[in-house]
Amino acid sequence: MRKTATKQSGKIPAQPGPREVASVKPGVPSDAESVIPGAGPSTHPGERPTVRLRDAGPDDAPRYAPEWLELREGPDAAARAGDLIDPLRIRLANLPGKAGLVIHDLGCGTGSMGRWLAPRLDGPQHWILHDRDPYLLHFAAVASPRSAADGSRVTVETRRGDVGLLTPDALAGASLVTASALLDVLTREEIETLATACTGAGCPALLTLSVAGRVELTPSDPLDDEIADAFNAHQRRGGLLGPDAVTVACEAFSERGATVRLHPSAWRLGPAESALTAQWLRGWVGAAVEERPELKEPAERYLRDRLEACRAGELKVVVHHSDLLALSRPTGGAS
């Protein structure tokens, strides 16, 4: 499902310091707006926007709520490619002149990437969390990890910003750039901007959980492939790359001199993940119907049957993703 943009206007307020948001209670909105749980292809009255990547038109409505991000955090953590951590550690250990790591997390959402990665890296870490939504930035800062793998201190600050405007100067002094479930909601130009910024700053990038465009459901249904094709087409709306994003990112980083490693990172959803599976199904089928309205009648039957199988613990789903580690040539003379 796509993270889409909502138009913002007005002055951007100053951001709190590393621990100044500690009084914010997770789950409590900062204003009177309500939060609608889950994720679907169409917005509902009162639904709060979450990840905002760029300004967009009035028809480009928000899709995700914080509850959806919470539902997927466990399966995300289980899916991410642990095999990419060792080569990342080696590169980080060889970066020149670093008393500690400075990590930029783009489109951070509620901060799940930091909670997963910070305890897997040694040494002091300072995480700079980027998102367009101050509500999610509060979540991320409050729930950020406090210590690294070796017990070193982890600190955090938050910044509102647009990944499409990222520059090498914005990453000056960065040790690492991370993102989760981000590439597939970017355009080719935005991925090239990201690759240029990372390689220009000489810092590696760990970009996880980009959709690969393949889904396996057990038991199978004759409509599976048609729904998947329609969903993938929906992901490419408006110039976004959807399942093509990983290929484009590999090319963009490689063309700029980075060494790129890919690793599969599939969700494997069974009875224990039925709540996530149900929400994913609604969004997946809903986006397919939005793309191809002629699917509406068979898709209603399909979704009803799939949800019944999910509730009965009889449905298994594999949603394929890819993790990408781009090792840019470091600046400052390190090997």
Side-chain angles (χ1 to χ4, degrees):
M1 282 168 284
R2 290 167 54 185
K3 298 175 190 170
T4 55
T6 54
K7 190 173 181 66
Q8 291 187 352
S9 61
K11 186 176 179 181
I12 296 176
Q15 288 301 308
R19 295 297 177 201
E20 292 172 18
V21 295
S23 61
V24 178
K25 297 180 181 179
V28 179
S30 57
D31 54 35
E33 293 180 348
S34 61
V35 176
I36 303 299
S42 59
T43 186
H44 301 281
E47 183 174 359
R48 293 181 61 89
T50 58
V51 178
R52 300 169 181 161
L53 300 174
R54 64 185 72 77
D55 287 340
D59 294 332
D60 202 2
R63 304 289 175 95
Y64 285 0
E67 287 83 354
W68 165 254
L69 301 179
E70 182 180 3
L71 264 181
R72 63 174 291 171
E73 182 163 351
D76 280 355
R80 288 192 184 97
D83 289 351
L84 296 179
I85 298 298
D86 281 345
L88 175 61
R89 286 195 191 104
I90 293 169
R91 173 52 60 89
L92 294 176
N94 289 330
L95 290 178
K98 298 292 184 183
L101 300 177
V102 177
I103 302 171
H104 290 253
D105 188 18
L106 307 180
C108 68
T110 58
S112 64
M113 185 65 169
R115 289 189 289 276
W116 178 80
L117 184 58
R120 288 169 166 79
L121 300 177
D122 291 328
Q125 301 169 37
H126 182 66
W127 284 71
I128 301 173
L129 309 178
H130 298 256
D131 207 285
R132 289 291 300 272
D133 192 332
Y135 184 63
L136 289 188
L137 287 173
H138 284 313
F139 273 106
V142 167
S144 64
R146 300 300 193 261
S147 60
D150 60 356
S152 298
R153 188 181 181 205
V154 175
T155 57
V156 63
E157 67 177 276
T158 59
R159 293 184 187 174
R160 288 179 71 183
D162 190 333
V163 67
L165 304 177
L166 197 65
T167 65
D169 288 344
L171 298 180
S175 309
L176 173 66
V177 167
T178 66
S180 189
L182 176 67
L183 290 181
D184 44 271
V185 292
L186 299 183
T187 65
R188 180 180 293 271
E189 181 181 2
E190 287 166 338
I191 285 182
E192 290 177 350
T193 296
L194 173 61
T196 297
C198 292
T199 55
C203 65
L206 180 63
L207 309 170
T208 68
L209 296 169
S210 298
V211 296
R214 293 184 294 116
V215 175
E216 301 169 30
L217 296 98
T218 306
S220 62
D221 184 283
L223 205 58
D224 288 346
D225 289 344
E226 194 168 356
I227 295 290
D229 288 345
F231 175 80
N232 289 339
H234 189 274
Q235 291 292 89
R236 297 182 176 103
R237 282 185 170 191
L240 304 187
L241 289 169
D244 306 320
V246 169
T247 298
V248 172
C250 286
E251 293 171 352
F253 277 96
S254 297
E255 288 168 358
R256 290 160 177 79
T259 300
V260 177
R261 301 186 183 211
L262 283 179
H263 201 284
S265 54
W267 277 355
R268 300 185 184 277
L269 309 179
E273 296 80 27
S274 60
L276 173 62
T277 303
Q279 291 285 35
W280 172 83
L281 276 168
R282 293 186 180 99
W284 189 61
V285 174
V289 172
E290 187 176 292
E291 180 67 21
R292 297 181 187 166
E294 68 273 15
L295 288 175
K296 184 176 186 299
E297 186 174 342
E300 287 177 352
R301 186 275 309 164
Y302 175 88
L303 179 59
R304 182 176 62 252
D305 292 348
R306 286 307 198 188
L307 290 174
E308 288 177 0
C310 182
R311 283 190 292 268
E314 297 169 353
L315 181 65
K316 295 181 180 179
V317 181
V318 179
V319 182
H320 290 274
H321 304 95
S322 296
D323 287 5
L324 181 155
L325 175 63
L327 299 175
S328 302
R329 292 178 182 138
T331 58
S335 60

